[in-house]
Each structure stands twice: as C-alpha cells, then as structure tokens.
Amino acid sequence: MSRRAPSDNREVDPRVVDWMRRAAAVAADSWPHPNPRVGALVIDPAGCEVAAAAHAGPGHPHAEVVALRVAGDAAPGSTVVTTLEPCTHHGLTPPCVDALIAANVAKVIVGAIDPDERVAGSGVEALEAAGIEVEAGVLVDEIVALDPGYHHHRRTGRPRFRLKLAATLDGQIAASDGTSQWITSPPARDDAHRLRARADAVMVGAGTLRRDDPLLDVRLDTHVGPQPRPIIIAGSEDLPAERRVYARNPIVYSPTHESVPPALESVVAGGAAGVDLGLVAKDLAERGLIEVLVDGGPRLATSFLAAGLADELTFYFAAKLAGGAGVPMFAANFATLSDAVALRITHVSALGPDVRIDARPVGEVS
C-alpha cells in the first residue's frame, strides 16, 4: 500500500489528483451530517469515469456503495476513488468495505483516513487483507477542508464552532446608538450567507435576538440545501414573546426554563453563573449538529473565546472607519498585552470593497 502524510511531497499521478478533486466536487453540495460528506468515483481500467456518487445522509447507502451500483458490470477490476476511508462497521447500513470486496474492485484510492474510532485505518487494512491495492492519503488537507465539522467532531467529540464578526476597519461592529446595517457590502454579506449554508446551526445570543430580530436563515438565490437550525443562548432575563426566528424551531439554551417563551424548545444548560457553553456543545453534538456558525454579538464571541471553543474565526472588515468608540467586536477588558489570543491567519480575500480574514487560535488543527 502507498500512504501519504499531508506533508509528503512525493510525486503524485496527476490523474489521481484529478480524480480525487472530482470526487470531492461530487460531495461538496451534500448535507449528510452527522455522517461524513463523502464522494466516490468508479474508474475503469482505461482511466475513464463510469460512476460518481455522494453520501446523502444517515440511513442512505454510502457513496462507495451507490457508485458501485451505478457502475454495475463495470465495477469488477475497476479503481474506486473515495474521499474518505471506507467504513468497516455496521450502522444503519452495511460496511462499505464489504461492498468493495464483493464487487471485486482492483484498487481503492483514499483521500483521508476516517478519524472515527470505529474505522481509523481498519478499512484500509480490511481491503488489503482481501488482496485489493490501496493508495491512501491523497490530498488530505483538501479532503479535511471538504468537511471540517465531521473531522473535528470525530477527533474531539464536540461540534466545530466558527465565530463570524463583521466590523469597520477599526474594529467596531455597531455605532453607539446600536445601528449596524449595513457595515459591510453586499459581496461580504453574500459570503457570510455562504458560511451559513455550510453550517448545521447558526447561533446568536439574547442581545442580538432582541436588537436585530434575526431570521438566522440562508438568503441566497442559489441555495438548495437545508436551512441551518437556529440556536439562541439566553440569559436570565425573559426573552421577547415574539420574534421572527421563533417560527423556525430554534433551540434555546438558558439557565432556567422560566425565561423562555413556553412554545419554544428550551434546554437548561447552566445555572446562576449563566449558560455553560460546554454543556451546549455536548447537547449539540448529541443532536448531530456538528458545524455551528456563531453569529452573535461581542458578549457571545467573548464567551466562546474564554471557553476555548472558538475553533475558527472569520472577520469581515468593511472599507469604513468608525473614527471613534461604538460597539467593539469583543466585550472583555483588554487589560494587558499578554491577554491577547494568538491566532494563525489561514486565509485573506477581498470581497468587493471589503476584506475577509480567516484565522484559528494557535494550536487548533481543523
């Protein structure tokens, strides 16, 4: 077997790279969480694609199985390209490895090894034991980036949280009177909706709920997937009796049920000290909501940083200067330089007149 680590610079067959990127593209617009986003191809001995499939979600056949069914009589002797290691365990569907062996394929090319402890290399080992050639570790970084929420969840047991903040170039998310629409330009706001479209849930705090009356939905003409589940982090004060998002079945996490309108689903997660974000993370993971966009205000963003739960941060900086103190991005007091959170900037791009910066706390992998 040939295995590559993400840092391995050995020559890769250009066809293999193209096939893996094609498999990733097939999976890109699938929404299978809490199952992984997986794409698979069947390639005949002449190097031609004869089938392609993505995993649709729990209870549906996995991508490899669907691709083999589409390939039919072309499956024996073929090469199967899959973005994620084929599974070996029985869940709602039988193991993919069994289907690959039964189809008598000649080779399997794997993108990333599955971090799920029920697989974690056993799929590759089972294929090799059956006499099938395996090439694993192709474009690992790109494949993990295809579904970072899944990989993070299987490594840590909790959702992956992305904090999103939009501000003037000097760091103000609103003016002193609370006005904030619109700090950023339409291209930046459309990009933020694309972030929502990739999330299982969008979270705000009670302050944002009261001030902005947000819908927390995806408003893109091109969006065809499910809408993210709204999440509200409440305090001890009563929530408003009516808000637009209530029609979208939000989950409310609060220190007590009494502060939440009775028609809403509420979960007590904390007590006198407020909501415990660790308990929130645990409950969201149990619900299968493993990619969460935190789209609230400065208090919620500060709480996630303080709890060590901010896995990625996306900043939209508008081509505007506040020129004074309004509402800053974070609510904590910056007492001394050593309090600063060290970040690793991973991406910078222009969006119309504005700039998007993606960053991760130093030490965070995905």
Side-chain angles (χ1 to χ4, degrees), residues 26-313:
V26 169
D29 291 327
S30 61
W31 291 270
H33 287 171
N35 284 9
R37 185 175 287 122
V38 181
L41 311 178
V42 177
I43 308 295
D44 69 15
C48 298
E49 178 186 314
V50 296
H55 177 46
H60 293 272
H62 291 185
E64 302 95 319
V65 173
V66 178
L68 289 171
R69 290 176 182 174
V70 173
D73 293 341
S78 67
T79 294
V80 173
V81 181
T82 179
T83 56
L84 190 68
E85 178 185 16
C87 65
T88 53
H89 62 281
H90 285 265
L92 296 176
T93 59
C96 298
V97 163
D98 291 356
L100 290 163
I101 294 171
N104 198 27
V105 304
K107 182 175 180 177
V108 177
I109 300 173
V110 175
I113 297 298
D114 193 337
D116 191 314
E117 62 182 11
R118 296 171 297 179
V119 187
S122 63
V124 168
E125 292 171 0
L127 291 171
E128 290 183 318
I132 296 173
E133 182 184 355
V134 179
E135 181 175 0
V138 178
L139 300 181
V140 173
D141 289 347
E142 292 184 31
I143 298 307
V144 172
L146 172 70
D147 198 1
Y150 172 80
H151 287 268
H152 185 278
H153 175 258
R154 294 307 192 270
R155 286 192 299 103
T156 66
R158 66 168 178 82
R160 181 175 183 267
F161 293 103
R162 181 196 293 264
L163 271 59
K164 171 251 168 181
L165 294 152
T168 61
L169 203 57
D170 48 350
Q172 304 301 302
I173 67 168
S176 296
D177 65 359
T179 55
S180 62
Q181 296 182 348
W182 297 102
I183 283 179
T184 53
S185 65
R189 298 200 298 274
D190 285 349
D191 190 73
H193 276 274
R194 286 189 284 273
L195 286 184
R196 286 187 180 184
R198 302 300 289 175
D200 300 318
V202 178
M203 178 185 292
V204 296
T208 299
L209 180 75
R210 293 187 180 94
R211 181 180 64 250
D212 297 342
D213 191 14
L215 271 171
L216 305 183
D217 60 347
V218 179
R219 295 187 294 279
L220 294 171
D221 292 339
T222 57
H223 183 63
V224 294
Q227 288 286 348
R229 185 85 183 266
I231 308 296
I232 300 166
I233 304 298
S236 56
E237 296 182 25
D238 290 348
L239 292 181
E242 295 183 2
R243 278 298 183 265
R244 295 185 300 164
V245 77
Y246 291 173
R248 296 197 54 239
N249 191 30
I251 306 169
V252 181
Y253 294 95
S254 66
T256 170
H257 288 303
E258 282 69 31
S259 63
V260 181
L264 300 181
E265 179 180 1
S266 64
V267 178
V268 173
V275 171
D276 183 333
L277 292 178
L279 295 178
V280 172
K282 183 176 184 294
D283 187 72
L284 290 171
E286 291 173 352
R287 294 170 182 265
L289 302 173
I290 60 176
E291 183 77 44
V292 180
L293 180 66
V294 181
D295 204 0
R299 289 184 62 186
L300 189 59
T302 300
S303 296
F304 266 87
L305 275 182
L309 292 172
D311 301 303
E312 183 150 17
L313 300 95

